[in-house]
Amino acid sequence: MTESVPDRTTTGPTTETAPLGDLRWARGYTDPAWVRRYTAAGREISPTRRVWRGRTPAHDLPAEPHDLDALEISAPDGSTLKLPEVFAAAQTDAVVVIHRGSLVYERYLHGTEPHTPHFNASAAKSYAGLMAAMLAHEGLLDRTALTSHYVPELAGTAFGDARVDDLLHMGTQMSYAGRPFDKAVEAQRYFAVVGPQLRPYGYSGPTSIREHLATARATGAPGTGFRYENGNVEALAEVLRRVTGTTTSALLSELIWSRLGAEEDAYYTLDSDGVEAACGGFSATARDVARLGEMLRQGGALGERQIVPEAVATTLASGVPDGYPRRVRFPAAPPDSPATLSYHDLWWILNDPYDSFMASGIHGQRLFVSPGLDLVVVHFGSQVMSPAVPPAPLVPAFFEIGTHLAGRN
């Protein structure tokens, strides 16, 4: 019996037909060390632009340490975990807990330190949404206008033919370059757009965010359903650049970061055109993100400084518009799971008794703000994304922390 030998002279799979494994980022879904290489070292891997902290003195975070390690957290499978076990499961790199304005708990693992900027991933979407809400409040941005009104080059695309408000609520239905939409595939193709080192052999797709957006075509009417997709945020960021005439980095510095009392500069990674990856390329320290959360918890103010208009900060949870934004689920949730969350201005609204809201990113990045519990939690992780690895119960842990601290005071 003769064994067949593959013909090595034939052309291999094209970019369109190659398996997802050909994209190097796929390793990040199974290898926490690979994830951590990107979460903590963005400046060493990609071109970046800083978000200047300004000249404002650092906002003080008075320390009132609490030992929370004995807290027991209920996992979805019915088991109980101590808080350090939750963090081990989440491949936690940093966690900061602020209660009533005081720093009560702080941990740094896997070489991360208080001054280390860490990848925020899709939590950055919420920061873009906050800037848009501020500009709309000031009358500089019309939520009801078509995106193409501000960015004419996007006319005829799924994003250009949607309203700005549709972008802010993930309300577009699209496919890219004629492909059937698949969230996991499109997420990895986005990484290939912004990261040359992540492109598979023979890649011939878009090499900039603007080129990528131009390939999006509507597959349904905008403003009729929720679909979590990076392109909404990148189109929104382009709108903000056109409205203000400045970069995303400079705008975030001007509106928030330089007024926040941040200790460190933050930064965005850039594509080949020098455009910020607004949907997930932002890095900052855990303490500075906690300062952002504390400012929002206090109605947009830190001390005497009103940074975000109170009308914006206090309606993130209460101002969800009627319709599809009130009935959403996390992107990784099973499609038959109940839609218990809401989504407003690119923030996740938890619909709990405490008016909690959250910025959330892949690999365990979280900014959890709970006005009713007087609580802010920042969590940075490098958790793998795999069906074989159950997600750590981070949100239940945050609520357990908050109710525990509320009971002690």
Side-chain angles (χ1 to χ4, degrees), residues 3 36 54 83 94 109 179 186 225 248 252 279 292 366 370:
E3 182 179 357
R36 196 163 284 114
L83 196 58
L109 303 165
R179 297 184 298 269
E186 295 307 337
T248 302
L252 182 58
C279 75
L292 171 61
R366 303 285 189 272
S370 184

Side-chain angles (χ1 to χ4, degrees), residues 303-323:
E304 299 299 318
R305 296 195 300 273
Q306 188 71 40
I307 298 170
V308 172
E310 185 176 11
V312 172
T314 58
T315 56
L316 285 175
S318 64
V320 183
D322 291 335

Side-chain angles (χ1 to χ4, degrees), residues 40-366:
R43 284 195 182 110
E44 300 166 19
I45 296 169
S46 301
T48 61
R49 180 173 294 128
R50 76 167 179 166
V51 178
W52 184 43
R53 64 165 300 278
R55 297 187 175 89
T56 304
H59 177 75
D60 185 41
L61 295 175
E64 294 184 10
H66 287 260
D67 184 3
L68 303 177
D69 287 343
L71 286 183
E72 295 187 343
I73 313 301
S74 297
D77 64 2
S79 63
T80 301
L81 301 173
K82 296 291 181 64
L83 196 58
E85 294 174 314
V86 173
F87 295 150
Q91 292 288 332
T92 298
D93 297 326
V95 60
V96 170
V97 179
I98 295 179
H99 185 244
R100 295 178 181 169
S102 296
L103 182 61
V104 299
Y105 186 88
E106 186 174 30
R107 295 290 186 273
Y108 297 95
L109 303 165
H110 303 115
T112 304
E113 299 184 63
H115 62 271
T116 305
H118 194 285
F119 189 51
N120 280 213
S122 286
K125 291 177 170 63
S126 301
Y127 315 153
L130 184 60
M131 290 191 287
M134 293 173 69
L135 294 177
H137 177 78
E138 295 170 10
L140 300 176
L141 177 67
D142 182 359
R143 287 174 174 265
T144 66
L146 293 181
T147 302
S148 58
H149 171 73
Y150 297 106
V151 189
E153 304 94 297
L154 288 178
T157 71
F159 304 115
D161 294 346
R163 300 173 304 155
V164 171
D165 209 48
D166 298 328
L167 305 182
L168 281 162
H169 294 94
M170 297 286 180
T172 59
Q173 311 294 315
M174 87 300 294
S175 67
Y176 289 99
R179 297 184 298 269
F181 183 84
D182 181 285
K183 182 183 177 299
V185 170
E186 295 307 337
Q188 294 209 30
R189 287 185 179 276
Y190 175 82
F191 296 138
V193 169
V194 297
Q197 71 275 23
L198 301 175
R199 293 171 189 164
Y201 179 76
Y203 178 80
S204 59
T207 58
S208 71
I209 292 169
R210 288 167 178 151
E211 287 181 7
H212 178 59
L213 296 180
T215 71
R217 296 295 180 267
T219 58
T224 57
F226 179 84
R227 178 189 277 174
Y228 190 81
E229 165 51 30
N230 291 329
N232 291 294
V233 186
E234 298 300 357
L236 176 69
E238 188 64 24
V239 168
L240 302 188
R241 288 188 285 267
R242 301 298 176 94
V243 167
T244 62
T246 191
T247 66
T248 302
S249 301
L251 184 62
L252 182 58
S253 174
E254 177 185 345
L255 294 182
I256 298 173
W257 214 253
S258 66
R259 305 173 63 203
L260 193 63
E263 289 182 271
E264 307 285 346
D265 290 343
Y267 68 87
Y268 280 99
T269 57
L270 306 176
D271 73 358
S272 60
D273 284 345
V275 171
E276 291 91 345
C279 75
F282 178 82
S283 289
T285 69
R287 285 182 178 177
D288 285 343
V289 174
R291 288 179 169 93
L292 171 61
E294 178 65 8
M295 174 268 292
L296 292 174
R297 184 189 72 83
Q298 296 192 78
L302 274 183
E304 299 299 318
R305 296 195 300 273
Q306 188 71 40
I307 298 170
V308 172
E310 185 176 11
V312 172
T314 58
T315 56
L316 285 175
S318 64
V320 183
D322 291 335
Y324 70 90
R326 292 182 178 270
R327 302 180 300 276
V328 306
R329 58 178 66 85
F330 280 129
D336 58 349
S337 61
T340 60
L341 305 175
S342 296
Y343 198 76
H344 181 43
D345 287 352
L346 304 179
W347 290 84
W348 296 96
I349 314 303
L350 302 183
N351 293 330
D352 65 326
Y354 312 109
D355 291 328
S356 305
F357 52 95
M358 185 169 67
S360 177
I362 197 171
H363 307 305
Q365 276 55 308
R366 303 285 189 272

